[in-house]
Amino acid sequence: IPAEEGIRIKDFPTLNHVIGFVTSKSPKYAGAASQTKQAEEKSAVKTEEAPKFIKSNIKRMTVETIEEPLDKKSKPRFNFKGMNVLITDDGRGIAKSIEKTLKESEANVGIITRSEMEDVDRLKNAIGRVKKTGTVNGIIHLTSFEESKSLDEMSYEDWRKNVFRRVKSFFYICKTLQKDIIENSKTNGSFIVSVTDMGGSFGVDDFTSNNPIGGGVAGLTKGLNKEFLNSTQNILVKSIDLSAAEKPAGIAKLLLNEIQHGNRKVEVGYTGSTRIVTQVIYKDIDTDAEPRNIVGEGSVFVVTGGGYGITSAISRDIAKNLKAKFAIISLESLPSNIEELVRLDENGLKQLKEKVVSELKSKNERVTPVMIDKEFSKYTIAIEIYRNMEELKKLGSPDVEYYSCNVMDHKAMTETINKIRARFGRIDAVIHGAGINKDKFLEDKSFEDFSLVVDVKADGCFNLMESVKNDGVKVLVTFASISGRFGNIGQTDYSAANDLLNKYVQHSNRRFAPGMKAVSMNWSGWMGIGMATRGSIAKIFEESGVDMIPMEEGVTKVREELLYGNDAEIIVAGSVGQIDSDNLIVGYKTKDFSALSEIIKAKDKYPLIDEIVSLKPGKSIVVKKILSTDNDLYLLDHSIEGVPYFPAVMGIETFAETVSLLFQNKKIKLMKDIKFNIPVKILKGKPVNMIITADKIDSQGSDIIVKTKLESEFFKDGVKLGDNKLHFEAMVMVSEKGADRKKLKSNGVNMEVIQKAKDSERIINNKEIYKRFFHGPKFQVHAGVINIEGKMIYGALAGKNIKGDGHFSFIKKPDFISNPMAIEAAFQNAGMYAMKKENKMALPDGIEELVFTQIPSNVKELYMSAKHIKSDDLKHEYDTVVLDSQGNVYSVMKGYKMINIGDLKDDEKF
């Protein structure tokens, strides 16, 4: 669809693709109609393929933690007096400690013991017992903090009991007490708090729990937060992660402090006394890097839920690019006559459906369309599965086999894995893509539906991994959802199941280290395929402003993670709309971003950077400098006819500061291809917003090549007008050692001229120079011309101005990186040659190569030379050197170009 029509494909959720487009602007209706007819005759685009003209906003994101101290001076949120609080027992003593403190505040406390959390009936009776003292105001779920066996020691029955006590019981309690919590929130407020033992960072920084089940508790809590926020703003919902090594009394105090003084952040962790919260950041991967060699041609992939849908589409990408073998596990059975069924044409399928209807009518008094669809879909899904398997083979998979199995059936899964092991000889990679959804609000969601949604993912993953744990599996990929990361209304079960998978991956990376690469893919909805196309999910996503993932973009993500990624929990999404109502997504403003933002506050080191706009660590950075004569005092001494110009040498310094900020452990080796395209002017005294960008484009061993540019942006009445204007550009190389010493040579410099400079008179003194140059006192860095012989001109530097003291209003002594005033002196020295020899006034135009190093503070006398290389009517070119009287070189320019701006007037000529 033409972009100017302002129509987006996502505005039309029932469209698969567009075959023609006609508007009143179209020149020939007949021609458009003819094209439409031709398009109809061509094979239709598959529903799982996104239209090519959709512009995707999909990002790769991951999770990090940042410190966020508790404000203990804030007013306590609750008056516990008279409140009824339900606590589930942890068995470590925390519940008893909290009970003691709350009772001292005259609260009523009811503790549900761990034995009461073995099944629904006992749990129901326990809740009834607690409610005898009154309706419940607060829930503190501590059972997920109880001690447990390690995953290696857990039987399937142990696993099921743990999931029930930690996750399902919490759901049952919250659902049962939902009305109490909402009603009490209208008076004294209410709270729901869960506590997990994953180490204090939810496994992001370090995963210390014996098992990953706490992830289900955290995910459920995030889902509950969305449910209860939908009801009232006066309910506090928190998921608090801690280390089990802390003492119970200390944990009890910490939890109550968080309830009373913590902000509304849902995920809060404590490592010792340090309070952390989670945030979601953009984090790109470098697909140009050397790929990780863990899976490739002939690798054996076991894929659950891989018969059709998203998982099948991703398997096809792996088959095409990695030539892997596949053992596909799905719930559906393939009929014995499947090869005949796949050959049926449209008429044959119609007859098959009629047969299905006839058989249903013979067995039922009343046959509904739902019954027909359910029975007939057994055949259509089987046909799709078979065709997908054949497609894997065509794309390059040397071996594909299908296994019908319920992933929740522990015995059946064990037997199936044994068959796969016998069939393929080994298992290299596991993709757990099985899952279902039953979206309903908490009040409408049954315990049975909640359990089923959780079990398919949780029990399925346990059964799968415990069956292959001794196979030396190199890869585990789980398919999760953005609801696991953020929580979502109507998806408490899906949120719990998917965050449990996130933690299963974190736990597996530790459990099987260093031999396994495990990653959990938290998908947004996909266009035209998968669960988001069924039921109410697509509607939920649409109303929440959630971007859908285009098929051709999404299918590559798993392979890219296996080859290039290093993170455990990945979010693949564009805008997630109201799903991120907690504002967890900070984009490129990462923990590193915050750290660098603190660094630039040292204005003596970064005087030309005001703020960081965006950061991709090790890849790119964008910074801003607001240029004004109030702050940048040197501008007034760099004015032409009353108009301040941003000096070219300050542009070089800006590039040096920006690149050094991006690569903190590197130093500037050299700059190349520096271009001064158009000047930055301060017009009518109005500040200028300068945007400086540095992008890594290549690396050569430990050296890194960075492309930089300096632009300005223009605003009027707070609205940005037009595109940015490009002023300066440069290529910057950084290395561990810094300046390329091989290039810091005084080639062609006559040192006798330098040695005699002290005693010789200046053939042109600085007073005569600045009668002609426009520079004010701060830029009067040329102390006079020493000598001109042949193509060479020699000058002395004015030491008092060389460091740039007093250039800024906010600092006295800047700690420049590039020695800009020394480079400025070299510029002016070359400019003097043009004046003296050719009677031309000229300004900087560009530099082919610049190398510089710091000038020691004990060096008192500096000199510069400029060698004239060539000139024409428009430009002239020089090689310059800045050095001391001992021949130590501090700056070398090759190919410094100046552009003529006019002839000297008669009274300006020498």
Side-chain angles (χ1 to χ4, degrees), residues 693-844:
T693 303
D695 290 302
K696 174 188 173 182
I697 61 170
D698 198 8
S699 57
Q700 299 173 359
S702 63
D703 294 352
I704 296 172
I705 301 172
V706 186
K707 182 178 181 179
T708 61
K709 61 181 179 180
L710 187 153
E711 302 172 296
S712 64
E713 52 185 9
F714 181 67
F715 289 83
K716 184 176 182 180
D717 298 326
V719 178
K720 183 178 178 180
L721 300 181
D723 296 330
N724 289 355
K725 184 181 293 185
L726 178 63
H727 296 281
F728 302 160
E729 300 173 85
M731 304 297 290
V732 182
M733 180 177 287
V734 293
S735 68
E736 294 177 357
K737 295 182 179 180
D740 190 339
R741 299 285 174 176
K742 295 179 181 178
K743 296 180 179 293
L744 285 174
K745 303 292 183 182
S746 57
N747 296 331
V749 174
N750 186 341
M751 288 304 299
E752 288 187 11
V753 174
I754 301 296
Q755 297 293 341
K756 293 178 181 179
K758 290 183 180 180
D759 302 325
S760 63
E761 294 184 2
R762 306 293 188 254
I763 61 173
I764 304 175
N765 62 39
N766 67 333
K767 185 177 180 180
E768 290 297 319
I769 290 173
Y770 292 108
K771 281 182 180 178
R772 295 158 175 82
F773 281 162
F774 59 85
H775 305 84
K778 289 183 175 62
F779 269 75
Q780 293 180 2
V781 291
H782 202 303
V785 176
I786 298 168
N787 193 10
I788 300 177
E789 54 178 28
K791 298 288 187 179
M792 297 288 288
I793 181 172
Y794 296 87
L797 274 75
K800 65 177 183 178
N801 288 335
I802 206 66
K803 293 187 179 297
D805 295 353
H807 276 36
F808 303 94
S809 64
F810 46 86
I811 51 169
K812 292 182 178 180
K813 297 179 180 293
D815 187 10
F816 288 130
I817 296 172
S818 66
N819 306 319
M821 303 314 290
I823 297 172
E824 173 66 27
F827 279 8
Q828 293 182 18
N829 196 49
M832 283 304 303
Y833 185 94
M835 285 184 171
K836 177 68 175 174
K837 288 284 192 175
E838 301 183 6
N839 293 320
K840 299 287 187 182
M841 180 70 77
L843 292 175

Side-chain angles (χ1 to χ4, degrees), residues 381-397:
I381 290 175
I383 291 170
E384 183 180 354
I385 290 172
Y386 188 86
R387 285 176 174 167
N388 285 336
M389 291 171 59
E390 292 299 299
E391 183 69 13
L392 289 175
K393 296 174 185 177
K394 291 178 182 177
L395 288 169
S397 176

Side-chain angles (χ1 to χ4, degrees), residues 501-516:
L501 290 185
N502 290 332
K503 302 324 185 252
Y504 210 115
V505 157
Q506 291 169 347
H507 181 272
S508 295
N509 275 327
R510 188 193 71 172
R511 181 186 183 192
F512 298 109
M516 176 181 283

